[in-house]
Amino acid sequence: MLDPLRATSGSPLSLLKRIRTKVNPGVERNITSFPQRRPFLGRYHAKFRRALGPSRASYNGINGRVFQGPRFRERIRVALATETRGAIYQPADTPYHIVYKKTSRRALDLRERDNQGGSYMMKCSLQFLSTPTADTPGTSLMLHFDRKRYLIGNVGEGTQRVTVQRKTGLIKVGDIFLTGTVGWENAGGVLGMVLTIADCTATSRENALQVLGEKKQKNVSRERLGEVDKGNEVKPLKEAEKPWLSIHGGKNITHLLATARRFIFRKGMPLHTHEYTAKRNAERKNWDPTWQDNWVRLWDMVIEPEGRCASPKKRRHDEFSEDESCKEQMPGETEDELDQIRQAVVSSMFNSEWRLDALFTRKLSTVQLPAAIFVRTEEGKVEKYSGPMPGDRGYDPDVEVMVRNPWPGALVDSLPPTTPSASSVCYIIKSQPRRGKFDAKAAIALGVKPGPNFRVLTEGQSVTTEGGTVVTPDMVLGPGKTGSGFAIIELPTTSYIGPLLNREEWSSKEVMHGIGAVIWILGPGVLHDARLQAFMQARSEMEHIVSSKDCCSNYLALESPAAAAIRLHLLDADRFPIPKYSNVVPHPTDPTMPYMAAKPSMTLQLEPRLEVQTDGIIPDFNTATVVKEVQNDAKLMELAKAARDEVMAPGYQQRLDERQKDIPSKDAEVVTLGTGSALPSKYRNVSATLLRVPGYGSYLFDCGENTLGQLKRVFGDELPEVLRDLKGIWISHLHADHHLGTVAVIKAWATETAEDELTKNNKLYVLSHEGMTKWLHEYSEIEDYGHKRVEIITFAPSNVRQFDFQSSLSDRQQKELGLVSFKACSVSHCHGAAAVVFEFANGFKVAYSGDCRPSREFIKLGKGVTLLIHEATFDDELKGDAIAKKHSTTSEALDVGRQMNARRILLTHFSQRYQKIPVMEAQGATDQVAIVAFDYMRVKIGDFAKVDAFRPALTKLYEDEVAKIGETGRN
């Protein structure tokens, strides 16, 4: 049986020395083979965990028997480097296990020890998350280490959704390295990604604090969480261990983040930006890394296109205008001051001490409206102020009230001006070099006593012996290993090739030593440039991986929503199209060239040896599997056939036309591009609904992230026509899930219409709150996305909380916009949230709720509308959540439609994966039909009743999901 020996300390060495076995000498057995392991490990479980410190999660106690993680391995290696009677740390495969062996003096033995060193074998790999598709316009990669991850490349719209699809965790992401120029195509997903990472880390920290509280309450924890406790005292997490995020990129990345200050605010996650700008060759004094941490070293390469001039003087932020000639730049000091203002704004967005529950007393006359105003009663209770306001009879300007201070970022009215930059940021990234094997005998011979000084030496620091001799690490460490790495190069056009090839980094041994691969992110046509191909040929010893529309297909990057769309298509092909895609590569890879095309989940392993791993590549989506799955459900197919037979039966269309003869624009089509809430999910994208009214135009109601990608999937080759017909975009409020796709849609519209003489002078109307229009203007300083051709109609200024707006469109505006009028009113959701009613010349009226609680004012505006599009975020069982988060339930949305007497009702904006299919009873002699929206659905006003005929089949298709009501969204 196991015979623990006595020890006087809890160090890893002493703990391991206590482990002995009385089995036959020379017999080596894994701990899992001992029947007595459970009581033994149970007895020493807590001591092992305390000794391992932050690596405690790697030790799974009496059930797991597993020790893994670099910090654990390093501690045990140091502890066992001198003498380990009876205990050997030896990997079986991976993970590592503690094994027992009767022996004399043994040192740590690692199976995967490299040839030079004795430290643990670090694993490091670079994985492709996405290549250019309609779902993911950019190329995104994740650099994996055991304890940290780096997001590298483009973070365009759709990036966070593909991480959900790939089940890629973001909790360990501490740095984002953006490549290329700072524009919406490359960085349009950063704002949503930052929100997601902030929420992930906040949740993780809250869980850690909760665990800490539980341990303190029970007074039994001696584990290390945050810092080692002394006695039974449990101390809080250190300030340094709070979550943080750094974003690296080109000029204007700080400005881009600061433009979002009106609608992005998170506490407790410091966010830092690092902008890299072009440097003159004469400024290079050494080849020290531009940036580094404990895991990687990085050199930036900022490429200017041919024809650009260099900055006239050295500054932290160089500006390059979009003109062909260089303009005189601001003095360096002024530019630094402006950058500090932007940095301060970003800091206030993510690391503020602002509290929602903090109220401040001031006189009513000094309150900046709009604001929630409170008073304290004589009993000491805080109540909402209901007295006279400025302009009301009996108004007292000196009455004392209490208000919340706005969050700091919202107090900044405008940002310092900036100009677009054409610089393309590239990187050379290498893992940190590894120290060699620690020679314990040499250390002892030099007079170093075993113990803490051994750890100091292995960490690269010198120690002084009792005899006064200074022992340096190089005296006791064997040869180390240079880190492995890669270069990631983004070239938007061929004008960047020449400046790239002339870079000094390619000839620097210090920089290029260990670089075994180049990742190429290339614009259209760049891959086939002879200069670039010659460069690859000359460096054929390196792996070259290319991500470009020229060599990557427009595959279905989001398999889950595609599968859902195919299932719906098999039920009703007329209303549920299959997303447009192509698995055909436009220009197949030339087998004579030393490069390969990037694929989703292709992995470049950097450590322990460099190799391209293709076994994990995600194959093209097999639609046949989904078809077979649905067709095998006999009951489902029977219900679908019954519905098809009903709508195709002789006389059905005639009866339907008779019921709908008073409905105008029955051929108007509703296309639901995004039907989810809060953030892009596995099955539903965020809010966007397209309305196409023949003879008038097309209109977007809200425009969440990657709406353009959804348009591409729905319309394919028809998209240019749809964009030319687009007249207006309505943004209901300033939450990120409702408007972050606007810039991309405007840019696509501007590009398409500029190519036609008949449309190049067209205007695109954006109808929204003043905060939205300010954001569009501020972002237009970063890139020309067509803002000059946008005509903005603001329904309410920023300082107004309650409003009723009725447009007074000029004849020109009516002709260009296609509307007779539109009316808007404030609704209960957030500051500036509004619902709207569009009215056309033929009497067709559409009401859109945005996000809100049921609104009487909205019901009045929408009386007699043809179509109501209303949010139904929560199911009826979650009405409490709906009230708390200021959303509507399914029944509440239907009741709004009844009170409006809306002929057709479309429910959307769901927090659940799939919503219950509602039943809408006819009211009197007027038929009302309500249907549920799904992503990619296309339905004409006159066909709502046909979709309703498929309700039994839809219910059967999602009967399993209907029971799952627990998932809720966040706003």
Side-chain angles (χ1 to χ4, degrees):
M1 60 178 293
L2 298 174
D3 179 24
L5 300 182
R6 283 194 165 187
T8 58
S9 69
S11 67
L13 177 59
S14 61
L15 285 171
L16 288 173
K17 283 184 175 181
R18 299 169 76 167
I19 303 173
R20 296 296 177 87
T21 177
K22 293 186 177 180
V23 298
N24 294 332
V27 176
E28 176 177 311
R29 301 174 66 183
N30 189 291
I31 189 172
T32 59
S33 65
F34 285 104
Q36 301 92 340
R37 66 186 183 279
R38 291 180 181 268
F40 171 76
L41 285 178
R43 180 177 177 183
Y44 292 97
H45 170 67
K47 293 186 178 182
F48 263 103
R49 287 172 59 86
R50 187 175 71 253
L52 298 178
S55 297
R56 68 204 175 283
S58 301
Y59 173 55
N60 299 326
I62 61 176
N63 295 321
R65 289 89 57 193
V66 177
F67 291 77
Q68 60 182 359
R71 193 161 183 175
F72 166 79
R73 295 198 287 270
E74 179 68 12
R75 288 179 176 223
I76 300 302
R77 186 185 71 79
V78 174
L80 299 180
T82 53
E83 182 179 38
T84 54
R85 291 181 179 271
I88 306 173
Y89 180 55
Q90 178 176 344
D93 284 308
T94 297
Y96 298 87
H97 301 273
I98 296 289
V99 295
Y100 300 89
K101 187 174 183 178
K102 187 72 175 180
T103 183
S104 54
R105 301 174 64 89
R106 292 294 302 265
L108 180 66
D109 179 25
L110 290 177
R111 178 173 299 179
E112 292 189 11
R113 177 184 300 169
D114 64 83
N115 295 331
Q116 296 180 351
S119 59
Y120 66 88
M121 179 56 63
M122 176 179 65
K123 291 190 176 181
C124 169
S125 62
L126 182 70
Q127 181 186 33
F128 279 87
L129 297 180
S130 66
T131 57
T133 67
D135 302 314
T136 54
T139 300
S140 304
L141 305 98
M142 188 73 79
L143 179 60
H144 296 260
F145 286 85
D146 289 338
R147 300 188 64 185
K148 190 174 180 181
R149 291 179 178 176
Y150 304 83
L151 187 57
I152 303 174
N154 307 147
V155 185
E157 296 182 57
T159 303
Q160 61 171 320
R161 197 175 184 198
V162 84
T163 61
V164 174
Q165 180 69 62
R166 302 283 174 259
K167 298 181 179 180
T168 302
L170 299 174
I171 190 68
K172 295 181 181 179
V173 174
D175 292 272
I176 298 175
F177 293 96
L178 297 172
T179 59
T181 58
V182 174
W184 202 257
E185 186 172 358
N186 285 19
V190 165
L191 299 177
M193 181 65 71
V194 167
L195 286 174
T196 300
I197 293 175
D199 292 344
C200 288
T201 53
T203 301
S204 175
R205 182 171 174 80
E206 288 173 4
N207 292 339
L209 291 172
Q210 182 178 358
V211 171
L212 255 174
E214 292 173 355
K215 293 181 181 299
K216 185 174 183 179
Q217 183 178 4
K218 295 177 180 179
N219 199 26
V220 294
S221 172
R222 296 177 57 87
E223 299 181 15
R224 177 174 177 176
L225 184 59
E227 62 182 65
V228 178
D229 58 294
K230 297 183 174 101
N232 289 331
E233 179 185 2
V234 179
K235 296 188 177 181
L237 292 172
K238 292 181 180 179
E239 185 72 18
E241 292 181 352
K242 285 186 177 180
W244 53 269
L245 181 66
S246 292
I247 300 180
H248 310 249
K251 178 197 168 188
N252 288 330
I253 188 61
T254 310
H255 189 93
L256 186 153
L257 291 167
T259 63
R261 65 193 179 280
R262 296 180 181 89
F263 55 88
I264 288 183
F265 176 73
R266 291 294 186 271
K267 294 176 58 178
M269 192 194 77
L271 189 147
H272 312 284
T273 57
H274 303 271
E275 295 188 359
Y276 303 113
T277 56
K279 306 175 183 67
R280 294 177 298 178
N281 290 338
E283 296 172 6
R284 174 69 71 182
K285 296 181 179 179
N286 57 55
W287 288 108
D288 291 340
T290 308
W291 181 90
Q292 64 178 326
D293 62 5
N294 292 336
W295 287 269
V296 301
R297 293 175 295 162
L298 177 144
W299 292 261
D300 71 286
M301 292 196 297
V302 181
I303 312 299
E304 292 290 319
E306 293 170 339
R308 297 280 173 182
C309 61
S311 170
K313 61 185 296 184
K314 180 179 180 181
R315 295 189 314 280
R316 182 179 175 183
H317 295 282
D318 304 307
E319 293 193 359
F320 293 88
S321 72
E322 289 301 304
D323 299 330
E324 291 184 1
S325 59
C326 287
K327 294 183 178 181
E328 184 178 355
Q329 304 294 328
M330 287 180 154
E333 295 78 8
T334 302
E335 185 64 19
D336 284 342
E337 291 174 359
L338 297 179
D339 182 62
Q340 289 173 10
I341 295 174
R342 299 186 188 100
Q343 293 277 5
V345 171
V346 172
S347 177
S348 70
M349 293 166 59
F350 296 97
N351 194 32
S352 171
E353 297 299 324
W354 181 87
R355 292 177 54 187
L356 180 64
D357 57 353
L359 295 175
F360 299 87
T361 302
R362 61 187 60 186
K363 292 183 178 180
L364 182 58
S365 59
T366 64
V367 175
Q368 184 177 357
L369 300 176
I373 305 176
F374 303 87
V375 293
R376 190 179 298 278
T377 65
E378 295 180 357
E379 295 79 13
K381 296 182 180 180
V382 175
E383 296 180 350
K384 199 162 187 178
Y385 175 74
S386 58
M389 297 295 291
D392 296 342
R393 180 178 297 180
Y395 165 65
D396 181 3
D398 294 326
V399 65
E400 288 192 345
V401 296
M402 295 185 295
V403 295
R404 299 186 185 100
N405 282 337
W407 69 63
L411 296 174
V412 180
D413 185 62
S414 60
L415 296 176
T418 188
T419 56
S421 172
S423 302
S424 180
V425 179
C426 311
Y427 305 103
I428 295 174
I429 301 175
K430 292 197 291 187
S431 60
Q432 289 285 6
R434 285 184 288 147
R435 291 186 292 271
K437 177 182 177 181
F438 177 72
D439 190 340
K441 292 182 178 180
I444 293 173
L446 292 170
V448 181
K449 289 186 176 182
N453 283 341
F454 277 19
R455 176 180 56 81
V456 173
L457 288 168
T458 59
E459 291 177 351
Q461 302 176 36
S462 301
V463 300
T464 303
T465 66
E466 293 180 354
T469 304
V470 176
V471 179
T472 60
D474 59 287
M475 300 169 65
V476 294
L477 294 177
K481 182 183 178 182
T482 303
S484 301
F486 60 94
I488 181 165
I489 309 297
E490 178 157 359
L491 305 177
T493 67
T494 55
S495 63
Y496 291 82
I497 295 178
L500 169 73
L501 302 185
N502 293 329
R503 297 288 302 196
E504 291 180 313
E505 284 85 351
W506 302 118
S507 57
S508 169
K509 293 183 178 179
E510 183 176 350
V511 175
M512 295 304 296
H513 183 61
I515 300 300
V518 181
I519 310 299
W520 300 93
I521 303 175
L522 305 178
V526 178
L527 176 59
H528 306 295
D529 189 281
R531 295 170 296 173
L532 188 62
Q533 294 190 359
F535 179 87
M536 294 182 185
Q537 291 279 19
R539 290 164 175 79
S540 58
E541 74 281 0
M542 293 192 293
E543 299 285 355
H544 295 272
I545 306 175
V546 178
S547 180
S548 168
K549 292 181 180 179
D550 292 336
C551 61
C552 299
S553 67
N554 184 26
Y555 61 92
L556 291 168
L558 303 173
E559 298 89 355
S560 296
I566 293 171
R567 294 186 187 101
L568 291 167
H569 178 80
L570 293 172
L571 303 187
D572 183 6
D574 293 331
R575 261 66 61 178
F576 300 102
I578 295 176
K580 304 295 190 298
Y581 71 99
S582 174
N583 291 332
V584 178
V585 177
H587 303 284
T589 303
D590 185 351
T592 64
M593 293 300 298
Y595 68 84
M596 63 184 72
K599 299 285 186 180
S601 291
M602 174 185 283
T603 300
L604 174 68
Q605 179 182 276
L606 300 174
E607 297 285 357
R609 60 182 179 276
L610 190 141
E611 66 178 7
V612 177
Q613 299 174 343
T614 59
D615 53 338
I617 290 178
I618 297 175
D620 292 336
F621 182 57
N622 186 358
T623 58
T625 303
V626 181
V627 173
K628 184 177 180 181
E629 170 194 332
V630 176
Q631 290 178 342
N632 286 340
D633 191 332
K635 179 62 175 177
L636 176 63
M637 298 309 294
E638 180 183 342
L639 291 172
K641 183 179 183 303
R644 286 193 294 269
D645 291 343
E646 177 185 349
V647 300
M648 296 298 294
Y652 175 86
Q653 188 63 47
Q654 183 178 355
R655 293 190 299 272
L656 183 61
D657 290 341
E658 180 64 23
R659 294 202 310 268
Q660 300 183 147
K661 62 183 180 181
D662 60 330
I663 295 180
S665 294
K666 289 187 288 294
D667 57 347
E669 184 182 42
V670 182
V671 185
T672 51
L673 302 168
T675 60
S677 67
L679 70 166
S681 65
K682 190 174 182 180
Y683 290 92
R684 294 183 184 269
N685 200 42
V686 287
S687 296
T689 303
L690 178 70
L691 175 67
R692 306 181 71 192
V693 187
Y696 295 94
S698 297
Y699 308 86
L700 268 172
F701 293 97
D702 281 331
C703 193
E705 181 177 328
N706 209 28
T707 294
L708 181 61
Q710 298 290 90
L711 285 166
K712 292 177 179 179
R713 287 300 188 206
V714 172
F715 294 105
D717 295 337
E718 300 176 39
L719 182 59
E721 178 186 349
V722 174
L723 290 173
R724 287 193 296 268
D725 196 45
L726 186 62
K727 298 295 181 65
I729 302 175
W730 166 267
I731 303 299
S732 62
H733 61 290
L734 220 58
H735 280 166
D737 60 316
H738 287 257
H739 72 83
L740 283 185
T742 310
V743 168
V745 171
I746 294 175
K747 187 174 183 179
W749 169 87
T751 302
E752 184 59 40
T753 55
E755 297 176 355
D756 193 326
E757 287 292 327
L758 298 176
T759 59
K760 68 178 184 180
N761 295 320
N762 284 7
K763 293 285 187 179
L764 179 64
Y765 285 78
V766 174
L767 319 173
S768 189
H769 186 269
E770 185 181 26
M772 176 67 185
T773 60
K774 287 184 176 180
W775 177 69
L776 289 174
H777 171 72
E778 287 183 345
Y779 181 76
S780 69
E781 296 184 355
I782 295 178
E783 69 169 317
D784 180 13
Y785 63 91
H787 183 259
K788 293 179 180 178
R789 294 178 58 199
V790 172
E791 183 154 337
I792 294 175
I793 298 179
T794 303
F795 57 71
S798 297
N799 62 348
V800 174
R801 181 176 293 273
Q802 300 292 331
F803 54 85
D804 288 299
F805 176 86
Q806 183 167 351
S807 66
S808 55
L809 300 175
S810 66
D811 292 342
R812 175 187 64 84
Q813 290 175 325
Q814 290 185 26
K815 181 180 179 180
E816 293 176 346
L817 187 55
L819 300 178
V820 173
S821 69
F822 74 93
K823 303 175 183 178
C825 67
S826 57
V827 291
S828 175
H829 180 65
C830 68
H831 175 60
V836 70
V837 176
F838 280 12
E839 185 172 356
F840 296 82
N842 66 347
F844 182 58
K845 294 173 66 176
V846 179
Y848 178 71
S849 70
D851 287 4
C852 66
R853 293 289 298 148
S855 166
R856 293 179 181 177
E857 290 76 14
F858 182 42
I859 292 172
K860 292 177 183 178
L861 287 183
K863 283 290 186 181
V865 296
T866 313
L867 171 66
L868 168 65
I869 305 172
H870 203 288
E871 69 119 293
T873 307
F874 293 99
D875 207 1
D876 295 340
E877 290 87 344
L878 299 172
K879 186 175 180 179
D881 290 338
I883 294 173
K885 298 186 178 182
K886 298 183 180 180
H887 283 291
S888 299
T889 66
T890 302
S891 294
E892 288 174 331
L894 291 175
D895 188 57
V896 170
R898 291 189 185 96
Q899 295 185 58
M900 282 186 177
N901 199 24
R903 297 297 297 276
R904 299 295 178 259
I905 302 171
L906 178 67
L907 302 184
T908 187
H909 196 271
F910 304 121
S911 66
Q912 288 83 9
R913 177 176 168 182
Y914 294 107
Q915 190 74 355
K916 286 184 176 179
I917 311 299
V919 178
M920 188 74 185
E921 300 295 340
Q923 298 296 305
T926 303
D927 74 311
Q928 287 185 305
V929 180
I931 63 174
V932 166
F934 298 90
D935 282 20
Y936 308 128
M937 183 176 76
R938 301 179 63 175
V939 56
K940 294 183 177 180
I941 299 299
D943 288 343
F944 269 52
K946 295 180 180 179
V947 176
D948 189 56
F950 284 86
R951 178 163 41 85
L954 292 172
T955 302
K956 177 66 173 67
L957 179 62
Y958 297 124
E959 60 184 2
D960 293 334
E961 284 76 14
V962 166
K964 301 175 184 177
I965 306 177
E967 179 190 357
T968 58
R970 66 161 175 81
N971 247 18

